[in-house]
Amino acid sequence: MSDASVVCTDLSFSWPGDVPVFHELSFTAGSGRTGIVGANGAGKSTLFRLIAGELTPSAGSIVVQGTLGYLPQNLTFSEDMTVLDVLGIAPVVAALDAIAGGDAAEEHFTVIGTDWDIEERTRAQLDRLGLGDIPFDRPLRTLSGGEVTFLGIAAQLIRNPDVLLLDEPSNNLDSGARRKLYAVLDDWAGALLVISHDRALLDRVDRIAELESSTVTIYGGSFTDYENEVAAEREVAEKNIRTAEQQVKREKRELQQARERAARRASAGARNARSGSIPKVAAGTLKRRAQESAGKAGDTHGKRLADAKSRLDAAERSLRDDKRISLQLPETRVPAGRTVFLGEHVKVRYGDLDVFDGDGVDLAIRGRSGSP
């Protein structure tokens, strides 16, 4: 469906306890592949749950053009379920079996509808994902996490939705399985929205949508293109900050110099008045003019300094704070300053991937600042 899309308008949502997530968020995603990125806690998964109808916004609207498919990050399948149950085609297969066995009841035809080839289409999708030989009656408890994830993806592909939401679809997949997933998503013809930390996957999308503080910013191209553009924006912002800082210093210096000149003129006038070298009336006039001149100079330089500070504030606000991670932990009872965890040169591997580069990462978790 070429006009498949998701349109969120002035979307607001808060968790119980008035914990805000979104306030008047507006966002549109059309056909093609859109990667959703943002800091942990920005609300990416919550946004998907709102689009899928699992959550209800407190204000605003969500319009999905076309049929919707959704694969959440955490699949909650019972281990007693079978492959057929996960794929969601058990009733249709049962009806086909009943008819093949001679039962021509009307309800079987109603259940089947136009899905007479459902088993063949399902096998074709499973084969693309490397699960073509898996028995339909196999229980989930005998499958790996990656196989269960692929079954969830296959269940969505079988439905052939116009809009597909995938939340971390490459989790639990090894490198070979990921390549199969990439190939499947490369062929996607509708509107695909995917949340992922998998750089290889995000480098295959058409655009990146960055979610931050109830604002979605669209960057054309892959994740690498997005990184390059963000780096360029940071470089410009840092240059603007340096320029603004220099302007503030210069205006402060000129203001101080203007005050010193006014003080010197006032001091010289006072000395002349005391010495009698000029009449008192003239001395008073000079003093008044000096005060007026000092006041005007002070106002002029003060305004220029205020303007320079305002430009510096604006430049600092434009600088991205990508290195900060903010976690809200309500009702914490950890005393201020107490070290809960301390790790040095921590290294983590996920499958055959190194999560942290180089010598690893140092991590310290301590109680909040202030009184406990």
Side-chain angles (χ1 to χ4, degrees):
M1 186 176 183
S2 59
D3 57 349
S5 64
V6 175
V7 179
C8 301
T9 305
D10 295 331
L11 192 65
S12 295
F13 176 78
S14 296
W15 292 113
D18 292 328
V19 179
V21 181
F22 302 125
H23 178 66
E24 296 183 351
L25 179 147
S26 295
F27 166 57
T28 298
S31 296
R33 296 173 291 274
T34 302
I36 311 294
V37 302
N40 291 337
K44 301 184 293 295
S45 294
T46 302
L47 177 61
F48 271 19
R49 294 181 66 188
L50 286 163
I51 296 172
E54 289 189 355
L55 299 173
T56 302
S58 56
S61 64
I62 301 172
V63 177
V64 177
Q65 183 70 30
T67 57
L68 177 68
Y70 169 49
L71 183 74
Q73 180 176 349
N74 298 313
L75 302 177
T76 56
F77 299 133
S78 168
E79 64 177 13
D80 294 328
M81 295 176 67
T82 66
V83 169
L84 206 59
D85 295 326
V86 174
L87 294 173
I89 62 172
V92 178
V93 173
L96 288 169
D97 289 343
I99 293 175
D103 185 352
E106 182 65 29
E107 61 265 24
H108 298 324
F109 292 90
T110 301
V111 169
I112 296 170
T114 59
D115 288 331
W116 292 93
D117 62 343
I118 190 65
E119 293 185 78
E120 291 77 9
R121 289 193 288 112
T122 300
R123 282 296 174 196
Q125 290 292 355
L126 291 176
D127 188 59
R128 294 180 69 195
L129 296 171
L131 300 177
D133 296 329
I134 194 169
F136 281 161
D137 60 353
R138 185 171 172 178
L140 258 58
R141 61 177 175 271
T142 65
L143 302 179
S144 68
E147 288 172 328
V148 173
T149 298
F150 263 170
L151 285 178
I153 294 172
Q156 298 303 322
L157 297 177
I158 292 167
R159 295 177 58 235
N160 195 29
D162 302 304
V163 178
L164 179 59
L165 312 179
L166 299 179
D167 192 348
E168 298 288 0
S170 60
N171 280 4
N172 301 316
L173 302 183
D174 59 25
S175 58
R178 290 187 181 201
R179 287 193 293 270
K180 292 175 182 175
L181 172 64
Y182 303 156
V184 169
L185 298 185
D186 283 346
D187 294 336
W188 186 258
L192 171 67
L193 286 74
V194 56
I195 298 170
S196 182
H197 289 84
D198 182 348
R199 184 184 182 115
L201 172 55
L202 292 176
D203 264 340
R204 310 176 84 91
V205 301
D206 303 304
R207 66 192 69 88
I208 295 291
E210 182 188 56
L211 175 60
E212 181 184 17
S213 302
S214 295
T215 300
V216 175
T217 305
I218 304 296
Y219 295 83
S222 68
F223 187 77
T224 296
D225 297 325
Y226 156 77
E227 278 191 321
N228 291 338
E229 188 166 348
V230 166
E233 290 176 354
R234 172 175 285 277
E235 184 176 351
V236 171
E238 290 175 343
K239 181 179 180 180
N240 289 340
I241 288 175
R242 290 193 297 270
T243 300
E245 287 174 339
Q246 292 172 357
Q247 289 176 337
V248 169
K249 290 179 181 179
R250 182 168 57 251
E251 296 300 339
K252 284 183 177 179
R253 184 172 58 252
E254 292 182 1
L255 176 59
Q256 181 61 30
Q257 291 172 348
R259 287 172 175 171
E260 291 173 354
R261 287 194 297 269
R264 286 195 297 269
R265 287 195 297 270
S267 178
R271 286 196 303 271
N272 291 334
R274 287 194 301 270
S275 67
S277 60
I278 60 174
K280 290 184 178 181
V281 174
T285 300
L286 291 175
K287 180 180 180 180
R288 184 174 63 256
R289 289 177 178 175
Q291 290 173 338
E292 291 174 351
S293 177
K296 290 179 180 178
D299 290 343
T300 299
H301 287 289
K303 184 178 184 304
R304 287 166 59 181
L305 176 59
D307 290 343
K309 287 182 176 179
S310 177
R311 288 192 292 272
L312 176 57
D313 289 341
E316 289 177 337
R317 286 194 300 271
S318 70
L319 182 65
R320 302 166 59 93
D321 189 8
D322 293 331
K323 295 183 178 180
R324 183 185 65 183
I325 299 177
S326 177
L327 300 178
Q328 292 186 349
L329 301 175
E331 304 299 331
T332 178
R333 297 182 180 275
V334 178
R338 175 174 293 177
T339 299
V340 179
F341 175 85
L342 180 62
E344 296 180 348
H345 306 302
V346 177
K347 295 185 177 181
V348 177
R349 290 185 65 83
Y350 185 82
D352 57 355
L353 299 175
D354 288 321
V355 178
F356 305 119
D357 293 332
D359 295 330
V361 65
D362 296 339
L363 175 63
I365 302 176
R366 298 185 176 91
R368 61 188 177 90
S369 60
S371 59

